[in-house]
Amino acid sequence: MLTYEQASDKVIIALDCSKERAFELADMLSGKATWVKVGMTLFFAEGPAIVDAMRERGLRVFLDLKVHDIPFQVQGAVRAASLTGADILSIHGLGSSAMIAAARKGAEEAAEQRGGDRTRLVAISVLTSMDQAALAEIGVESPVAEEVARLASLAYGSGSDGIVCSPQEAAEMRALLGPDALIVTPGVRPAGAEVGDQKRIATPAASLAAGASKLVIGRPITGADDPVAAFDAICAEIMA
Ligand SMILES: O=c1ccn([C@@H]2O[C@H](COP(=O)(O)O)[C@@H](O)[C@H]2O)c(=O)[nH]1
């Protein structure tokens, strides 16, 4: 059984909104939330300062930029992104072992430059908004779970600290990668919540039971009439 603090530490709130709304949510959830996710919507609008602003509020930050480019560019991009002090950064698993190794090098350089902990890297496997048909559209005919496992093994073996996958693959990924891998699962929906564009989903309790390290949850909290009550209900569900 988890305490409220331990449950809160499992939930990363995706702030896919304006800076004003992000601050409003951070203030509302102050003293309750532990983690926020700064993704492309917020980062492209506000730049690295938004990471600082969240950290100044005592929040830990998952910077979800899904970095994907040639190794040289990725090393520099990850170095710069890590210098923001983000705790976790996403890169793309499709970038190959050389790209992932370069990302790790960039994160290590930043840690050396900044001092303190290295930003941990998680590799995106197959987006949780994609199903078998979407994979087929891009020419991948193997089952989703097989593709996730292939990319996860490659990324984890090349210097990533973990992966991003759906909760539906979390148990298999935990068995494949072992106890130390950081397994981050978006596509989490409390029972009855709107699914939206997510395709491979599970409830918070089921995601955690499957072996996820962290659950990324956005709209079910940020779009709720009462975001604090929504966050509390998710913590209660995973504490039970
Ligand atoms: O495969 C992925 C990778 C990242 N995400 C991100 O997670 C959140 C999910 O938000 P919801 O509102 O709970 O759907 C969002 O910021 C995505 O960029 C993902 O969904 N799937």
Side-chain angles (χ1 to χ4, degrees):
M1 176 123 175
L2 299 180
T3 63
Y4 184 88
E5 289 69 31
Q6 288 168 329
S8 166
D9 185 52
K10 300 284 182 196
V11 180
I12 303 179
I13 305 172
L15 298 176
D16 299 324
C17 53
S18 67
K19 173 178 78 174
E20 291 72 23
R21 177 66 176 156
F23 288 155
E24 192 182 16
L25 286 160
D27 291 342
M28 265 184 224
L29 288 155
S30 164
K32 287 184 170 276
T34 306
W35 286 88
V36 290
K37 197 204 84 154
V38 172
M40 289 183 254
T41 298
L42 200 48
F43 191 82
F44 289 167
E46 305 302 331
I50 192 69
V51 178
D52 259 348
M54 291 299 158
R55 282 164 48 81
E56 275 163 16
R57 285 169 161 76
L59 292 160
R60 303 191 72 184
V61 177
F62 170 28
L63 187 53
D64 184 20
L65 298 182
K66 302 180 176 72
V67 180
H68 189 190
D69 207 321
I70 59 169
F72 174 74
Q73 177 73 263
V74 164
Q75 184 173 338
V78 169
R79 186 192 312 118
S82 299
L83 286 173
T84 64
D87 297 278
I88 305 176
L89 172 71
S90 64
I91 56 176
H92 223 296
L94 287 173
S96 86
S97 59
M99 192 210 85
I100 292 158
R104 175 66 178 249
K105 213 164 168 208
E108 285 170 355
E109 286 167 353
E112 212 173 300
Q113 191 175 329
R114 248 183 90 88
D117 290 341
R118 175 179 61 75
T119 298
R120 284 178 297 163
L121 301 175
V122 287
I124 305 288
S125 56
V126 176
L127 290 168
T128 55
S129 56
M130 294 176 76
D131 55 14
Q132 200 62 55
L135 261 192
E137 273 180 10
I138 57 164
V140 179
E141 296 297 342
S142 50
V144 173
E146 229 175 85
E147 185 64 8
V148 170
R150 197 176 62 74
L151 291 169
S153 298
L154 177 72
Y156 199 55
S158 306
S160 177
D161 298 285
I163 58 149
V164 179
C165 64
S166 96
Q168 296 183 6
E169 298 95 40
E172 208 180 311
M173 291 310 100
R174 179 60 68 205
L176 180 72
L177 304 178
D180 298 332
L182 184 53
I183 297 180
V184 176
T185 61
V188 178
R189 289 291 181 267
E194 264 184 46
V195 172
D197 49 5
Q198 297 288 2
K199 290 286 172 17
R200 307 191 325 278
I201 63 166
T203 63
S207 308
L208 213 56
S213 318
K214 304 280 180 209
L215 319 179
V216 177
I217 311 180
R219 291 162 287 182
I221 298 172
T222 60
D225 291 339
D226 184 344
V228 176
F231 180 77
D232 276 342
I234 288 166
C235 289
E237 176 182 330
I238 60 185
M239 283 161 70

